Amino acid sequence: MTEIKENWIAKGFIDEPIPSGTDLKTEIRRLCREKNAVIMAHYYTEADVQDIADFVGDSLALAQKAAATEADIILMCGVHFMGETNKILCPQKKVLIPDLNATCSLAESCPADRFADFVRKHPGHKVISYVNTSAATKAVTDVVVTSGNARRIVESFPADQPLIFGPDRNLGSYLNSVTGRDMVLWDGACHVHERFSTEKLLELKRLHPGAKVLVHPECKGPVVRLADVVGSTAVLLRHAVEDECDTFLVVTESGILHEMRKQAPQKTFIPVPPEDSACACNECSYMRLVTLPKVYNTLRYEWPVIEVPADIAAAAVRPIEAMLTLS
Ligand code: 13P
Ligand code: SF4
């Protein structure tokens, strides 16, 4: 049993020195075989991390894959709520994430106690929560959605059923506009997707008049309205590969470009930059906390481990399973 060091707990990750000459990718794969571990990675992690994963996907696919895995250990290369979802779906398995500081601005914007108050103030409403929430917030939810299935799940409720949607006000407004619903929205947002502006996008559209615009629905309404395709990262990827167009302006976290370029190397993918920066890419600072040395140390020492209190897990599993059934 590995001794968990005080300084790891204080930092939220392991920073043990790695012996020089270690081939990290080879060692990570060796540890996976030795420990019967599976590595899952979100499309927003850095390219090196995606390349050593057994499975790379969007939030929905990662949850579906976790529910089906036979591995003893799931190493979730993504943010904290993704590790929690895996643990709730696979309570017997050890679930690891490389850095406990990898949270999410949407999940942080929706503390469970305040969300529960909000729900109480809207009696008779069913509660739909985006997967980007803590387990405790999911526990006061009727059904969880991801950007990949949100529209279908919203439309599965009778038209006269009042609904609450949290925490992403942009995704919620988009869903209201495409379904004609009037869901009550929690006032949260993703710090990455909110940084896209119409100005930079219009400028790039002028430079690349034939390009198609791929937009994640966590972006603000005026940006979404400029899209040719709106969808989850997996939906945007599918269009990038299958559409006959050869140039795309990509309005989501720039990690997705790695898989787009892998699957369609002959095409041109241009990341749309955030409004308030000279940088060409828009990266999620939380996802980018996942690095290969942390992945290696996490597998080596089997820490940080994700734990979800039993009462919260019991309440949160219901809306997650409801989502998987409706997906
Ligand atoms: P999807 O993986 O559902 O596209 O969500 C994007 C996201 O922000 C993940 O945190
Ligand atoms: Fe959360 Fe936004 Fe990062 Fe996704 S991109 S993990 S929604 S902060």
Side-chain angles (χ1 to χ4, degrees), residues 44 190-197 219 250-257 271-277 279-285 288:
Y44 293 167
C190 159
H191 77 299
V192 180
H193 290 90
E194 279 240 313
R195 290 177 73 202
F196 290 111
S197 70
C219 297
V250 183
V251 197
T252 189
E253 214 272 4
S254 51
I256 185 65
L257 273 81
V272 174
E275 63 187 337
D276 49 358
S277 152
C279 171
C281 295
N282 195 356
E283 294 182 347
C284 173
S285 48
R288 301 309 172 119

Side-chain angles (χ1 to χ4, degrees), residues 44 79 81 103-106 132 190-193 218 253 284 286-287:
Y44 293 167
V79 293
F81 75 80
T103 59
C104 163
S105 51
L106 271 172
N132 299 41
C190 159
H191 77 299
V192 180
H193 290 90
E218 288 173 21
E253 214 272 4
C284 173
Y286 301 115
M287 289 280 187

Side-chain angles (χ1 to χ4, degrees), residues 178-197:
V178 293
T179 62
R181 310 289 300 224
D182 186 20
M183 297 189 291
V184 180
L185 307 181
W186 180 264
D187 192 17
C190 159
H191 77 299
V192 180
H193 290 90
E194 279 240 313
R195 290 177 73 202
F196 290 111
S197 70

Side-chain angles (χ1 to χ4, degrees), residues 1-305:
M1 181 69 190
T2 307
E3 187 196 331
I4 308 303
K5 297 187 183 170
E6 290 293 325
N7 71 318
W8 297 354
I9 295 170
K11 288 188 170 122
F13 64 92
I14 304 171
D15 60 352
E16 292 294 296
I18 293 172
S20 68
T22 304
D23 177 342
L24 278 182
K25 291 186 178 178
T26 306
E27 278 305 296
I28 288 169
R29 292 314 317 167
R30 186 187 62 74
L31 285 169
C32 279
R33 284 191 300 277
E34 188 182 299
K35 295 174 184 247
N36 190 25
V38 68
I39 300 183
M40 303 207 195
H42 192 272
Y43 289 125
Y44 293 167
T45 52
E46 58 182 50
D48 270 357
V49 171
Q50 294 186 42
D51 286 343
I52 46 93
D54 295 279
F55 180 76
V56 187
D58 69 351
S59 305
L60 175 60
L62 291 168
Q64 288 168 324
K65 219 51 188 182
T69 186
E70 292 191 346
D72 296 317
I73 296 177
I74 300 172
L75 172 50
M76 181 65 232
C77 294
V79 293
H80 193 269
F81 75 80
M82 295 177 174
E84 280 190 334
T85 304
N86 289 354
K87 183 64 187 176
I88 291 165
L89 288 169
C90 311
Q92 312 306 335
K93 299 188 190 297
K94 188 177 260 190
V95 176
L96 307 170
I97 63 167
D99 190 331
L100 290 170
N101 302 297
T103 59
C104 163
S105 51
L106 271 172
E108 298 288 310
S109 77
C110 193
D113 53 345
R114 282 180 45 216
F115 193 60
D117 277 349
F118 186 71
V119 170
R120 271 193 292 275
K121 285 185 185 133
H122 296 88
H125 287 61
K126 293 281 184 197
V127 182
I128 304 180
S129 289
Y130 197 25
V131 69
N132 299 41
T133 44
S134 68
T137 297
K138 289 184 178 78
V140 290
T141 292
D142 291 300
V143 57
V144 168
V145 299
T146 72
S147 51
N149 57 22
R151 181 174 181 171
R152 189 174 336 139
I153 291 178
V154 169
E155 286 175 336
S156 73
F157 284 93
D160 58 353
Q161 170 62 58
L163 299 172
I164 288 174
F165 184 87
D168 188 357
R169 60 172 177 257
N170 294 320
L171 177 59
S173 305
Y174 170 72
L175 291 167
N176 276 343
S177 74
V178 293
T179 62
R181 310 289 300 224
D182 186 20
M183 297 189 291
V184 180
L185 307 181
W186 180 264
D187 192 17
C190 159
H191 77 299
V192 180
H193 290 90
E194 279 240 313
R195 290 177 73 202
F196 290 111
S197 70
T198 51
E199 286 72 19
K200 293 223 170 158
L201 178 53
L202 287 168
E203 200 177 303
L204 281 168
K205 268 170 79 75
R206 269 191 298 276
L207 289 172
H208 306 275
K212 283 206 170 160
V213 179
L214 307 176
V215 177
H216 197 281
E218 288 173 21
C219 297
K220 290 186 274 195
V223 174
V224 170
R225 284 190 280 282
L226 292 173
D228 292 295
V229 179
V230 182
S232 73
T233 41
V235 168
L236 301 183
L237 174 64
R238 195 176 67 239
H239 277 271
V241 175
E242 291 176 2
D243 194 290
E244 59 194 18
C245 185
D246 64 2
T247 307
F248 297 87
L249 303 176
V250 183
V251 197
T252 189
E253 214 272 4
S254 51
I256 185 65
L257 273 81
H258 180 59
E259 189 64 25
M260 288 176 171
R261 287 173 178 147
K262 250 166 112 171
Q263 290 198 27
Q266 74 287 7
K267 296 190 179 184
T268 305
F269 298 104
I270 301 163
V272 174
E275 63 187 337
D276 49 358
S277 152
C279 171
C281 295
N282 195 356
E283 294 182 347
C284 173
S285 48
Y286 301 115
M287 289 280 187
R288 301 309 172 119
L289 291 175
V290 180
T291 60
L292 273 193
K294 285 183 193 162
V295 170
Y296 173 65
N297 273 332
T298 300
L299 265 180
R300 199 165 149 210
Y301 297 104
E302 298 183 25
W303 192 89
V305 177

